[in-house]
Amino acid sequence: MRRHLLDAETRLLGPDHIDTLGSRNNFANTLNELGEHRQAADLHRQTLADRERVLGPDHRETLGSRHNLANALHALGEHRQAADLHRQTLADRERVLGPDHPDTLASRNSLAVVLNNLGEHRQAANLQHETLAAYERVLGPDHPSTLASRNNLATALQGLGEHRQAADLYSEALLDAERVLGPDHRDTLTSRNNLANALHALGEHRQAADLHRQTLADRERVLGPDHPDTLASRGNLAVALELLGQDQQAVDLYRQTLADRERVLGPDHPDTLASRGNLALTLSDLGAHHQAASLHRENLAARERLLGPDHPHTRVSRNNLAAAQARLAEVGRRRWWQLLRRR
């Protein structure tokens, strides 16, 4: 529908008309919601350039395009670039719109989310505390943006290891989302997924697995089997099965999730790398050390190229590869000793 509207407005009003630019921005947002992040980013980049030229760099809609481009880059796993763009947009929105404008609060919230994904959990939590208080004061406790901010604060707390506090906040956010948005809303499904992850961290694996299974079924029904959120639920259920000792089931689900993420998100997306690493670790536990080492080697090369040799995720991959190689060496020594004893 939005594609048809965009084509009609481009034809009737011209590509630079403010309504045409608005339709192009909306269509890009729809693509991002559907998981078409690369296409969304390209369209947001084009719209941002046109709005800067037609409306000027400080126009509210230009700032909106910059914010939306940063969100698309974040969805692509380009967190550092997204953080830089969110910082720029936040500073501009504070200057142009004021610190309490909803657009400014949205920039502050999005910057905190990206910082959390970059591992800067304390800074993210502080920013989320500040943003949640502002949302509650400006928009009210039941506004969808307030609910999302509460959920994001819980995620930052979980990154800090405050799992009980995070689980309590996720539970509160889930109840509010179900009441305000409905059980099938994407934000409600996100809250349920996040609560399940927090329950894992508290060792409540059976309850977490049940919640992940429910969320996966709902996301497949509501968003489709290839949506990034659905793929995340599938990967999270695999983790839950592994923690319950169902390793073979977990491996099968990890393989499926890895193949789907490589196809949908690309081989270098952070979620794809996480799936590959999880599959490798579980294969190693099942004694498939050669396969595990090969997957860890692939991940290490990708993370060194994408993140640099000293990034925490790169160091994790390097340690995982070393552990897999050590297990391979131990298996080799045992086989040699068994052969020697048979002589």
Side-chain angles (χ1 to χ4, degrees), residues 74 77 79-80 82-84 86-87 107-129 148-163 166 170 194 197 270 311-313:
H74 177 219
H79 302 316
R80 181 58 62 193
D84 293 342
H86 276 312
R87 277 197 186 91
S107 282
R108 197 175 294 137
N109 174 76
S110 294
L111 175 58
V113 170
V114 178
L115 290 174
N116 199 56
N117 284 335
L118 286 168
E120 300 174 22
H121 303 303
R122 176 57 62 192
Q123 191 178 351
N126 291 341
L127 201 54
Q128 286 293 5
H129 271 294
S149 182
R150 196 171 295 131
N151 183 79
N152 292 338
L153 173 58
T155 302
L157 292 172
Q158 192 171 0
L160 288 169
E162 300 175 12
H163 301 302
Y170 279 138
N194 292 343
N197 286 337
H311 191 278
H313 293 170

Side-chain angles (χ1 to χ4, degrees), residues 237-278:
L237 177 56
V239 172
L241 293 172
E242 183 182 1
L243 290 171
L244 287 170
Q246 301 173 22
D247 289 345
Q248 190 55 59
Q249 234 182 311
V251 162
D252 294 341
L253 207 50
Y254 278 138
R255 285 193 196 279
Q256 179 188 353
T257 307
L258 175 58
D260 289 340
R261 279 177 162 167
E262 286 177 331
R263 174 174 52 82
V264 174
L265 303 175
D268 287 344
H269 191 279
D271 291 351
T272 307
L273 300 180
S275 283
R276 193 177 296 130
N278 288 339

Side-chain angles (χ1 to χ4, degrees), residues 292-314:
S294 178
L295 289 169
H296 283 312
R297 194 174 290 109
E298 186 178 351
N299 253 16
L300 175 59
R303 282 175 165 161
E304 285 179 334
R305 173 170 47 84
L306 296 166
L307 304 173
D310 295 329
H311 191 278
H313 293 170
T314 308

Side-chain angles (χ1 to χ4, degrees), residues 34-215:
L34 291 171
E36 303 287 343
H37 304 309
R38 177 58 64 193
Q39 195 176 347
D42 291 342
L43 202 55
H44 277 311
R45 195 175 280 108
Q46 176 191 351
T47 307
L48 173 59
D50 289 341
R51 278 177 162 171
E52 286 178 332
R53 174 174 52 80
V54 174
L55 302 174
D58 282 347
H59 192 281
R60 183 185 173 191
E61 292 184 9
T62 306
L63 299 178
S65 280
R66 195 177 300 136
H67 175 84
N68 292 338
L69 174 57
N71 283 339
L73 293 172
H74 177 219
L76 284 168
E78 300 175 15
H79 302 316
R80 181 58 62 193
Q81 194 176 348
D84 293 342
L85 204 54
H86 276 312
R87 277 197 186 91
Q88 177 189 353
T89 308
L90 174 58
D92 289 340
R93 280 176 160 172
E94 287 177 332
R95 174 175 53 81
V96 174
L97 303 173
D100 281 347
H101 192 281
D103 291 357
T104 307
L105 299 183
S107 282
R108 197 175 294 137
N109 174 76
S110 294
L111 175 58
V113 170
V114 178
L115 290 174
N116 199 56
N117 284 335
L118 286 168
E120 300 174 22
H121 303 303
R122 176 57 62 192
Q123 191 178 351
N126 291 341
L127 201 54
Q128 286 293 5
H129 271 294
E130 175 188 343
T131 306
L132 176 57
Y135 269 133
E136 289 176 333
R137 174 170 47 81
V138 174
L139 299 178
D142 282 348
H143 191 278
S145 296
T146 307
L147 302 182
S149 182
R150 196 171 295 131
N151 183 79
N152 292 338
L153 173 58
T155 302
L157 292 172
Q158 192 171 0
L160 288 169
E162 300 175 12
H163 301 302
R164 173 51 63 193
Q165 193 176 350
D168 292 344
L169 201 53
Y170 279 138
S171 295
E172 177 187 348
L174 176 57
L175 289 174
D176 289 339
E178 288 176 333
R179 174 174 54 82
V180 175
L181 304 173
D184 283 347
H185 192 279
R186 185 183 174 192
D187 290 352
T188 305
L189 299 178
T190 297
S191 289
R192 193 180 304 138
N193 174 80
N194 292 343
L195 174 58
N197 286 337
L199 292 172
H200 271 314
L202 291 170
E204 301 173 20
H205 303 311
R206 176 61 61 191
Q207 190 177 350
D210 292 343
L211 208 51
H212 276 311
R213 198 173 276 108
Q214 176 191 353
T215 307

